[in-house]
Amino acid sequence: MIKIEHYANDRQYIRDELRRLELRLQGHLLYGGIDGFAVSHANGRPSDPAVVTSGGYGEPSGVEEALIRLTALINQKKAETAKRGVILSLDRLAGVFGLTALEKEALLICLAADLSPEYRRMLARLETAGERITVGLLCRLLSPEEKDAQTVRHCFAAQAPLIRYRLLEFADDRASLRGSLMSRSVFVSERVVGFICGYEAAEGRTSGFARIVTPTRTPDDLILSEEARRRLVSIAGLPSFVSGTLQGGLLFCLHGPAGAGKTVAAEALCRQWDLPLLLVDTQGMLNADIDPATAVDLLFRESLLLPAVVCFEYFDLLLGDEGKAVQGRIAFLNALQELSWLTVLETGRSWRPEFSSQHHFFCSVEFPLPDCRQREELWRKFLAESGAGGEGIDIPALAGRFFFTPGRIREAVYTARSFASMNPGTGGPSTEDLFLACRSRAFEGLGGLASRISPRYAISDIVLPAWQTEQVRDIVSRVKNQATVYERWGFGRKFSGGGGLKVLFTGPPGTGKTMAAEVVAYELGIDLYKINLAFIVSKYVGETEKNLEQVFTSAQSGGAVLFFDEADALFGKRTEIKDSHDRYANIETGYLLQKMEEHEGLVILATNRQKNMDEAFTRRLHFIVEFPLPAEEHRYRIWKAIFPAGTPLEKDIDFGFLAGQFAVTGGSIRNIALDGAFLAAREGQAVGMKHLLQAVRRELQKIGRTCKKDDFGVYSELVDAKPEAGLGVQRVC
């Protein structure tokens, strides 16, 4: 009994297939009256065919007999290989992409031309286009009879598998582009060559924005809500459709803020399915030189060749209106229906494709911001992983103050460890290092939408009536205990709406509203971000909402205090709709109301025109703090505390007179003290009463208030002593 051999690897099989192709080419040459041609492979690649000399066949009939024998041998060896449970790559490729026998032959001809220059020269003898492989040449080789030419030509149509799935690609040379389809030259990409021949050859055109990840994460690496964990467990139990057909597949949308654990979850799922993860940076793809449609096709083709789960990070970028995003989205939706079998999308918000297909199963899982208990677990987990430990660190304060995703917490821990390494002997990061690390990454990418203010004033620095001071303390306390009340005690489940805190500071200019906002941020150990309304409000429809979305999202993840000064300009009353401008303005106001309602952090509004604000906003406020003009006793305290410790002061300064005689705000007192210091510095003297009185006169003039010489009382001569250039001494100033 003759033992039939099998193919040990793809290269052995391809070697025989190329021998068979060579015999077919010999037949064409002999039928055409062209002398036989021998293929030499002295320096061929490992997958090149063995040396075959065809000159001995002599007649076409001899070639045909040899071709029949070799074809029978190949079929026997393939059958024996299949019995051993081995699927040859070319057969798998044909099965996955639905190739016909003709299309396989076309692919083999192009493969031969790629593997060996001798084959290219042999094919050139049948073609007038040099060593280019044209559609016309392939049609002549694959359709001996003219009546089959149209069938073969259809193999190279735009929607035919060879071209649609980029197994064969058209060359972009000028000669090819100028002619008809029959004159266009085609080639097989290096990735497909490598796949068919059984050696590694990653797709180079996508390497800049896609990478293969061997999954190491497990579901135990995720700290999730019970709902999200239940959904993931159900996904892991779904059929994986590893059959590799194009008849349908699974599409998963993992949505939530950046760093919420979506990529880790995708990796954990791949480990459950025992498949690698093809991770795609969507932003990198859109910024690459390759056009998005080609990139998407190559990515899905790669997911089927490996096979692997393809995962698009930042998929939201494909949902925009920019040219490349639109191209990429259209290509993605087409590929999703034709090439997708296991696809994961990472988005900020839930999304599902517009088409409906009975062959696709869609599943969405939300990854919300972790609650306070989960954040505490994450802080402990990442501190332990970093080797920093958690001894002496106020983890509840970190968890309660910063609404961070797992990714942001991990990043903050390692940033804090870097800070601590600059101070040897500290034994790891402290709570202060961790707070600084959390603050260092807040509000990245906001550009001109907000200005960062590092708070410098403590509660002891601000001078307010007792009731207002107590309210400021209550605001700080409420933020510190927010996690306890809303999450540990369950009030967040009892009451709808966000768990954030909304505060309004109202009062005349200079009464301390901005300073009080700084005090709150300082006492909480977080930054204050002052919103620049000029950059927020846009005349273009939808841009204001887009800017507001960016501000609130960044504040949520950055743990910062949002401060809207002159808030009545943005939070003004809605008007009766008379034209499209009124309608859009009211839409913006409604959107702002929605974002205020949803926001989990602290928002402080400041205005000196509370009556101009929409009542819908005031109903949603938790605190309204009125800042009155300071009474004499409060002005005295401000005067006494306004000068830094290093300021040289004359003994003649009469703080009681200044506080009692001039009813100005704390902001004006600050301006007077600073102006007086510069006047004294110009004269090289310590700050004295004469400098402060001159500064008082200038401040009153600036704010439009009149004063008589007698208003300066016993110090009126000091005001007249040195009149300033351009101002003179006036009875009314």
Side-chain angles (χ1 to χ4, degrees), residues 620-635:
R620 287 165 169 80
L621 296 171
H622 300 96
F623 286 88
I624 297 179
V625 183
E626 295 185 6
F627 286 71
L629 291 169
E632 180 178 347
E633 62 173 302
H634 298 123
R635 294 197 297 272

Side-chain angles (χ1 to χ4, degrees), residues 594-671:
Q594 174 192 335
K595 298 309 295 182
M596 285 275 290
E597 188 80 22
E598 295 172 353
H599 188 59
E600 296 287 343
L602 172 60
V603 180
I604 298 178
L605 315 177
T607 183
N608 53 8
R609 297 183 180 91
Q610 183 184 350
K611 292 182 180 179
N612 292 347
M613 295 186 65
D614 196 295
E615 292 181 0
F617 286 110
T618 57
R619 286 199 305 270
R620 287 165 169 80
L621 296 171
H622 300 96
F623 286 88
I624 297 179
V625 183
E626 295 185 6
F627 286 71
L629 291 169
E632 180 178 347
E633 62 173 302
H634 298 123
R635 294 197 297 272
Y636 180 80
R637 288 169 55 194
I638 295 172
W639 274 113
K640 290 286 288 183
I642 198 69
F643 293 100
T647 307
L649 299 176
E650 295 286 1
K651 295 182 179 179
D652 68 339
I653 297 179
D654 188 345
F655 290 117
F657 175 82
L658 293 170
Q661 193 69 12
F662 304 106
V664 293
T665 65
S668 291
I669 293 174
R670 175 185 177 277
N671 293 339

